[in-house]
Amino acid sequence: MESEVSYTLALSDVFELVGAAICGSGLEIAIFDGEAEIDRLQRRGKVATGSYRETYRGKPDLRARLVSGSGAVSFTKTIIPAT
């Protein structure tokens, strides 16, 4: 059994409209192990198109959920090709 795995956290559509301007926004993401919240991440910025990605390391079978702010969150286990 794997003791630690790598995940890709991808954020997209992180912005707010202020009048006619597209401005940065903030969001908060909770990381869960089963039903227990084990971590909370805060990110601030502007991702209007495409997505921002970062690596998160932790136990197998974690999941993430957007708890505040606007945007879309994807949290997937990183597949490392065999060499």
Side-chain angles (χ1 to χ4, degrees):
M1 182 172 158
E2 300 170 282
S3 60
E4 188 174 80
V5 296
S6 184
Y7 297 88
T8 299
L9 174 68
L11 309 176
S12 58
D13 300 327
V14 180
F15 63 91
E16 49 184 270
L17 294 174
V18 178
I22 297 175
C23 299
S25 180
L27 49 83
E28 201 165 7
I29 303 126
I31 307 295
F32 289 90
D33 181 8
E35 296 298 316
E37 181 178 327
I38 61 167
D39 199 2
R40 195 164 279 222
L41 310 172
Q42 295 179 346
R43 299 295 179 264
R44 185 149 189 81
K46 178 172 70 172
V47 183
T49 58
S51 65
Y52 164 81
R53 297 179 187 281
E54 67 179 71
T55 299
Y56 184 91
R57 294 191 59 83
K59 294 171 55 176
D61 302 320
L62 298 179
R63 56 190 176 79
R65 183 176 53 134
L66 179 66
V67 291
S68 70
S70 65
V73 174
S74 169
F75 192 70
T76 55
K77 187 175 176 182
T78 304
I79 305 298
I80 301 170
T83 56

